[in-house]
């Protein structure tokens, strides 16, 4: 029996998501975009042993459940790192030996891309950190951890370098997973043009 890998999708409240896109999009459009991207992320994770959505929004929680995911409803939104920690703790309690933390604002994400990342991780010995870098800003759009507590959580500015440094300090193997489907996130208006070109 293969080890259990949980995919933990981190989803913000739709009304508060994508604020940095406000110069290019109105509130209603940003909300619709956030909802669609969340649906894409949960759908792309569907081939995992277990899919867990972590959110502080009851609306998101209800939708994620209707999409077939398990849900962890946070008492309040306290940032990506705390949400990720809560998801990891739930996954470990459920028997996970590996966790893939997945952003929910990846407009090009596909199930084959997510499956490929998990399959790529299987080529390396434990302990392992496998990171999918974001285009241009030093961020991290997906992070595979085996075991789930292999390193600390550093989502935010220049997170990729911080994850690498943490892994090196702990003697944990750190690898990059380059994927066009996972590299583009939607943070700023310029990203919308990138999506249009990619599509």
């Amino acid at each position: 029996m293969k080890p259990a890998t949980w995919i933990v999708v981190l989803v913000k409240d739709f009304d508060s998501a994508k604020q940095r896109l406000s110069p290019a999009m109105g509130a209603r459009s940003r909300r619709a975009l956030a909802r669609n991207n969340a649906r894409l992320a949960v759908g792309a994770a569907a081939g995992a042993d277990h899919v867990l959505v972590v959110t502080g929004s009851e609306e998101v929680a209800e939708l994620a459940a209707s999409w077939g995911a398990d849900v962890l409803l946070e008492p309040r939104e306290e940032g990506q790192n705390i949400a990720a920690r809560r998801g990891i703790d739930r996954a470990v309690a459920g028997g996970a030996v590996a966790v893939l933390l997945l952003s929910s604002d990846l407009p090009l994400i596909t199930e084959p891309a997510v499956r490929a990342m998990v399959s790529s991780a299987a080529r390396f010995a434990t302990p392992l950190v496998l990171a999918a870098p974001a285009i241009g800003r030093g961020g991290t759009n997906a992070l595979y951890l085996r075991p789930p507590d292999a390193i600390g959580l550093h989502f935010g500015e220049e997170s990729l370098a911080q994850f690498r440094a943490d892994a090196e300090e702990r003697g944990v193997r750190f690898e990059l997973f380059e994927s066009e489907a996972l590299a583009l996130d939607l943070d700023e208006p310029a990203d919308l043009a990138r999506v249009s070109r990619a599509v």
Side-chain angles (χ1 to χ4, degrees):
M1 183 176 174
K2 68 185 178 69
T5 299
W6 283 40
I7 297 183
V8 177
V9 185
L10 309 173
V11 185
K12 281 185 179 179
D13 175 79
F14 297 145
D15 288 324
S16 62
K18 306 292 100 190
Q19 294 293 325
R20 283 187 284 180
L21 294 179
S22 56
M25 301 181 77
R28 183 177 296 179
S29 296
R30 293 198 310 272
R31 175 184 168 81
L33 180 66
R35 175 178 169 144
N36 186 59
N37 285 342
R39 180 185 57 78
L40 288 174
V42 172
D49 299 317
H50 199 98
V51 181
L52 174 67
V53 168
V54 181
T55 183
S57 161
E58 291 188 7
E59 177 192 10
V60 173
E62 289 179 9
L63 274 173
S66 75
W67 296 334
D70 189 12
V71 177
L72 174 56
L73 181 60
E74 300 181 275
R76 59 191 172 280
E77 289 190 349
E78 297 178 89
Q80 195 171 8
N81 289 309
I82 292 177
R85 172 53 54 201
R86 287 170 171 151
I88 287 172
D89 289 347
R90 169 68 67 85
V92 170
V97 299
V99 168
L100 176 60
L101 299 168
L102 195 61
S103 171
S104 66
D105 63 351
L106 309 178
L108 304 180
I109 192 170
T110 64
E111 184 175 345
V114 173
R115 216 168 33 236
M117 186 168 182
V118 174
S119 296
S120 178
R123 304 200 317 261
F124 301 105
T126 302
L128 172 70
V129 175
L130 183 65
I135 290 175
R137 286 181 289 271
T140 309
N141 287 342
L143 186 72
Y144 177 96
L145 302 171
R146 190 180 68 232
D149 61 353
I151 60 170
L153 297 172
H154 310 283
F155 289 108
E157 295 294 321
E158 300 298 328
S159 63
L160 193 66
Q162 293 183 64
F163 286 130
R164 183 190 295 274
D166 193 345
E168 289 175 353
E169 187 174 319
R170 298 176 191 232
V172 173
R173 181 165 189 156
F174 181 91
E175 296 286 342
L176 293 180
F177 181 76
E178 302 285 354
S179 167
E180 291 185 6
L182 300 178
L184 180 59
D185 56 359
L186 291 176
D187 278 335
E188 297 173 0
D191 298 327
L192 297 172
R194 288 195 180 103
V195 173
S196 297
R197 289 195 299 270
V199 171

